[in-house]
Structure formats: C-alpha cells, structure tokens
Amino acid sequence: MWCGAAFAALPMRAVAAEKTPANQPTILVLGDSLSAGYGLDVQVGWVSLLQSKLKAEGFPHRVANASISGDTTSGGLARLPAALDRNQPQIVLIELGGNDGLRGLPLKAMRENLSTLVDKARAGGAQVLLFEIMIPPNYGAAYTKGFSDSFKQVAEAKQVPLVPFFLLPLVGKDGAFQDDGIHPSAASQPLMLEAVWPRLEPLLKTLNP
C-alpha cells in the first residue's frame, strides 16, 4: 500500500554529513526523499528526531543523513563507499527502492543492489537495518507484490532486521501528507520514527550493552 504518486523525478536534496568525531559511534542513513525530509525544515525530519531520541535514551551515537530525494538503489550503491569512508558507521539504515519501483525498474536488479548495499556496509564494519518499501499498483499486481516481497527476501537472505513500511501508520490520518499528497508532513515525522525505533533499539543495545 502506498499513499501518494511517484516522487522519482523530484529534485535532489541531501543533508550533508560531517566527519565523525573520534570515538563517537555513528548511524548512517542512506535513503531517498522519505529520509531526506523533502519539503520540510531539516530539523523536523524523522532522521533529525532520531538524533534527539538517541540522546534521550542515553545512546551516544551521531546520526549522519546521506539521503537524497529521488535516489535509487543504484544511486545509493554509487554513494555508499564515500559515505562509509567519511563516517565509519556502526549501523547503516538502508531506506531505498521506492524510486526503483515507481520507475518500473527490474526487480532482480533492485534485489541485487540491495544485497550489495548490505554486503558493502558489512564490509565497512557496520550492522545493517533494511527498510521495507511499498508502491502503488500502477504496474500491476504481480510487479507490486514482487516489489514489496523483494525487501523481505533480501532481509531473510542476508539475515538483517527489516523495518515494516514506515508510512503505513500514516494511512487515513488527517494532515499526514504535504500538499503534494506524496510526502509526509512535519506532523507525521514522529510516527515514522516510532515505526523505526522498535527495530533499531535492539540493534543498538546489542552493539552497545
């Protein structure tokens, strides 16, 4: 299920990641407009709220947001090595694939890209959290189901935790989306973080007992 139209052609927007201070663990978010906070002030996006949540829960992590609106899994693959080198993350959150699906790109290639993203992040010393993405049924039931199943397949094959599609809590809520009907509003960002936290917190506790 998906609550808006395609955002594949939207302008690129990234939150720059600075060099990690010595000995401070980092969470790297590699995503598209849903994590870049498209149309919002950076500080109200769910990734910025994550930084505040970590501090409140007593975790020392810095969050580096390497998300770009309109990005695909292949774009993420091209950007990941530099992001890993710059940030040396302990955990990588992979929130990509939506633009692959909205462009009707081959699912096999997307699964391969997601698998390679996981492998590269692990090779860089990071644990991985993969995000499930869903798309509207524009390309038919078979493609739509195959698309959503792809994330579960990669998560199972690579044995990484999977965040259920984090826009589902927004369905049917007034004011949940911006005027474009596509991107979550500022009011929805805490709900998106709430959908991520139950999968992220156990990983944090495992790595930082």
Side-chain angles (χ1 to χ4, degrees), residues 43-117:
Q43 65 267 23
V44 304
W46 77 265
V47 176
S48 292
L49 297 180
L50 172 59
Q51 184 69 78
S52 300
K53 177 74 169 176
L54 290 164
K55 183 177 181 180
E57 296 292 334
F59 293 103
H61 295 69
R62 165 184 173 269
V63 181
N65 195 353
S67 301
I68 296 181
S69 294
D71 205 11
T72 61
T73 56
S74 61
L77 266 180
R79 297 189 297 110
L80 181 59
L84 291 173
D85 182 65
R86 174 179 291 275
N87 295 285
Q88 300 294 309
Q90 185 184 58
I91 301 172
V92 175
L93 278 54
I94 300 174
E95 182 273 302
L96 288 169
N99 291 297
D100 297 61
L102 294 171
R103 295 174 183 176
L105 300 179
L107 297 181
K108 182 175 183 292
M110 184 184 75
R111 288 192 295 270
E112 290 174 350
N113 288 342
L114 289 171
S115 295
T116 304
L117 283 166

Side-chain angles (χ1 to χ4, degrees), residues 169-187:
L170 312 185
V171 175
K173 292 186 179 296
D174 291 338
F177 291 86
Q178 299 178 43
D179 290 343
D180 61 9
I182 300 168
H183 293 91
S185 65

